[in-house]
Amino acid sequence: AVSYNNESAVTEDDQAVTDAAAFTNTYAPGAAILYGSENLTVTKNLNRDWIADDPATADVNEKDSFTFTLTTDDEATRQAIEAQTVILPEATSIVVDTDTVNSEGAHQASFGEITFTEAGTYVFTIAEEGESHDGLTYDKEVRHVTVEVTDNTDGTMTARVTGVTPAAGLTFTNVYKPE
């Protein structure tokens, strides 16, 4: 005689089966990664020359330096972060300064990668920190980044940016007017 012990089955329904072997198939796709270097690069523009540290002076904080933060924009994304189905980069703050210049001469910095373990739509904000000073007006318009995470039904997921508002994208422009 054949006997079946399904006490360790995953579901209660399968545990209750006594006259056959019970099997429960599960499906869990791998995480999707949104790479910051490809999708979350901030560009900083000034309408004047950038000021670098002057090694001849004792003032080490006189160079232009601008800080940007990555946060959530909606309750669903906030809850996903709390549940750890969305994992933000270790650093949610980046600095663009006179040292962060790419090969084309643009002042840029990128956030790290965001990991998603569930499909869905997620909304983030990127904002410039700090206050206007000494004739320099900061770009205070918050950028909204929408990310769509899709289950490819083959064990993988894909994360892609489907929108950035406003139209300036992730370019922030500060305006200098002498006082």
Side-chain angles (χ1 to χ4, degrees), residues 69-138:
T69 56
L70 172 70
T71 58
T72 61
D73 193 44
D74 67 341
E75 187 59 30
T77 303
R78 195 173 348 277
Q79 289 175 1
I81 291 169
E82 289 174 12
Q84 296 186 338
T85 57
V86 172
I87 301 167
L88 293 176
E90 188 173 314
T92 55
S93 180
I94 58 173
V95 173
V96 176
D97 61 22
T98 55
D99 299 327
T100 54
V101 180
N102 70 13
S103 60
E104 287 88 37
H107 292 269
Q108 296 180 320
S110 299
F111 289 98
E113 60 190 39
I114 301 175
T115 302
F116 303 87
T117 60
E118 287 186 1
T121 301
Y122 303 93
V123 184
F124 303 92
T125 60
I126 296 177
E128 182 173 8
E129 300 297 313
E131 298 298 323
S132 300
H133 61 86
D134 301 324
L136 188 62
T137 302
Y138 277 47

Side-chain angles (χ1 to χ4, degrees), residues 49 60 64 75 112 127 153:
D49 290 337
V60 294
D64 284 324
E75 187 59 30
T153 67

Side-chain angles (χ1 to χ4, degrees), residues 154-170:
D154 63 359
T156 65
M157 291 194 301
T158 303
R160 64 185 178 90
V161 173
T162 57
V164 178
T165 57
L170 298 181

Side-chain angles (χ1 to χ4, degrees), residues 16-32:
V17 174
T18 59
D19 60 347
F23 295 94
T24 301
N25 294 326
T26 59
Y27 171 77

Side-chain angles (χ1 to χ4, degrees), residues 33-93:
I33 297 175
L34 184 76
Y35 294 96
S37 60
E38 298 169 11
N39 298 281
L40 301 172
T41 298
V42 172
T43 301
K44 183 67 190 166
N45 289 333
L46 291 174
N47 73 333
R48 63 157 170 76
D49 290 337
W50 284 70
I51 299 172
D53 279 337
D54 183 354
T57 69
D59 296 330
V60 294
N61 293 322
E62 66 184 38
K63 74 177 178 179
D64 284 324
S65 180
F66 305 96
T67 301
F68 299 87
T69 56
L70 172 70
T71 58
T72 61
D73 193 44
D74 67 341
E75 187 59 30
T77 303
R78 195 173 348 277
Q79 289 175 1
I81 291 169
E82 289 174 12
Q84 296 186 338
T85 57
V86 172
I87 301 167
L88 293 176
E90 188 173 314
T92 55
S93 180

